[in-house]
Amino acid sequence: MSETKYWDQRNHQIFSQVGHWEGGVDVNIHNFSLMNDLMKNASLMQVYILNATGKYVEKNIADWIEVNFMGLSYPDSRIWCNQISAYAADTNSTSAASVGAAILSTDSRAYGGSQTTYSCMKFLAAAYRRFTEGEMLSSIISDEKIKNGKPIIVGFARPIDRDDERLKPYEFMQKKLSIEEGNYLMFAKKLSEYLDNQYSLTINSGGYASAFLLDQSFTPTDGYNIKAYAVASGAVACHRNLVLAPPNSFLPLKCADVEYVGKGIRHL
């Protein structure tokens, strides 16, 4: 066999395992007909998850994830990614460019939904395995990095307000959609109780959603892909808010706001 056979076969050809468009006839997405199966029966979120993960989930699962998306994209220009979208609008950028920049800014280990979901799902999967093998929560937590006397665990802390306002709607919709609480979510809540008692840390939106996704048999990579554009809604709203405003409307600075700390005036 030629060492280059794999690439030779792809010379001037495109291979795909995810989908195929047959012009004027149909589109195949992971062996589902878009025209006959999905467009007649599925929701947009179901199709998005199918494209993101290769898995076709029940509508109630997709509906819950849709609610989770609502909780990840507030139309508030104070939020980091939305500041970028607002600044972009202030420079006459298009909404597509502004939202794209906002999404890229959320590909972060600290916030945003994509990398944070990946990290939290990996942690919860490993922690749950250790817990089911009989290890104490204190031992599991002791392996995590410490900052200001508290363990750094993605999904179990929140800046500004300690209580996460999204958790009650998440629980309400889970019951409304008849989705049973799975082992990972039960474990995450138990872990939250321990962290609250020991460190005043509690589960947040990301921790809840990560446990939920694990309970639906999604992998951390699946979680990352699902959440890749979750902040788009709020970002486009903040772009719309600024795009018609006069130039330099977003957080304008006065000369007096700038403190010069360089060298003094030189006399030539």
Side-chain angles (χ1 to χ4, degrees):
M1 180 184 293
S2 170
E3 293 182 359
T4 62
K5 181 180 179 180
Y6 178 86
W7 293 274
D8 290 339
Q9 289 176 334
R10 284 155 177 76
N11 184 230
H12 301 301
Q13 292 191 75
I14 294 176
F15 289 78
S16 174
Q17 295 178 325
V18 296
H20 171 73
W21 169 51
E22 187 177 356
V25 180
D26 199 359
V27 177
N28 176 281
I29 303 176
H30 286 287
N31 297 321
F32 287 91
S33 164
L34 179 61
M35 305 302 146
N36 299 303
D37 298 328
L38 301 176
M39 290 180 74
K40 293 179 180 178
N41 300 294
S43 68
L44 175 60
M45 184 59 75
Q46 283 177 289
V47 175
Y48 171 68
I49 294 170
L50 178 63
N51 276 318
T53 69
K55 300 170 184 177
Y56 184 71
V57 299
E58 295 294 328
K59 190 175 184 299
N60 62 339
I61 303 301
D63 286 349
W64 189 93
I65 294 173
E66 187 173 288
V67 171
N68 177 224
F69 267 50
M70 295 180 195
L72 293 177
S73 199
Y74 296 171
D76 187 333
S77 295
R78 295 174 298 174
I79 297 171
W80 301 285
C81 52
N82 291 345
Q83 285 190 25
I84 292 172
S85 186
Y87 269 126
D90 208 13
T91 61
N92 293 321
S93 289
T94 65
S95 59
S98 301
V99 174
I103 291 171
L104 284 172
S105 78
T106 64
D107 195 21
S108 162
R109 290 176 296 176
Y111 82 104
S114 51
Q115 278 203 50
T116 54
T117 296
Y118 179 86
S119 298
C120 188
M121 290 179 71
K122 281 194 69 175
F123 165 78
L124 283 175
Y128 177 70
R129 175 184 55 78
R130 293 169 64 178
F131 183 73
T132 57
E133 291 173 353
E135 195 166 346
M136 300 291 289
L137 290 176
S138 56
S139 174
I140 296 170
I141 297 303
S142 67
D143 289 341
E144 302 306 309
K145 293 181 179 179
I146 300 294
K147 183 177 182 181
N148 298 324
K150 297 183 179 183
I152 304 173
I153 303 175
V154 176
F156 292 84
R158 197 179 186 211
I160 306 175
D161 292 316
R162 183 168 171 271
D163 295 327
D164 196 321
E165 66 275 6
R166 296 164 289 189
L167 299 186
K168 288 183 179 179
Y170 289 170
E171 290 185 332
F172 172 82
M173 288 305 299
Q174 191 167 346
K175 292 177 181 177
K176 182 179 179 179
L177 294 167
S178 300
I179 302 172
E180 292 186 5
E181 188 171 272
N183 291 332
Y184 284 103
L185 188 52
M186 286 190 282
F187 169 72
K189 289 182 177 181
K190 184 184 294 290
L191 178 60
S192 181
E193 291 177 6
Y194 173 81
L195 291 171
D196 188 17
N197 291 331
Q198 298 296 320
Y199 304 101
S200 295
L201 296 173
T202 56
I203 192 170
N204 61 25
S205 170
Y208 193 110
S210 294
F212 179 91
L213 291 174
L214 285 169
D215 280 326
Q216 311 313 318
S217 300
F218 288 114
T219 67
T221 298
D222 290 336
Y224 180 96
N225 290 340
I226 290 171
K227 298 292 187 69
Y229 85 107
V231 301
S233 178
V236 76
C238 293
H239 174 278
R240 182 173 57 83
N241 185 51
L242 262 295
V243 71
L244 297 179
N248 302 314
S249 293
F250 188 66
L251 295 178
L253 291 174
K254 296 180 180 179
C255 291
D257 295 329
V258 180
E259 180 184 2
Y260 177 70
V261 294
K263 294 183 178 181
I265 298 176
R266 292 177 293 170
H267 300 285
L268 301 178

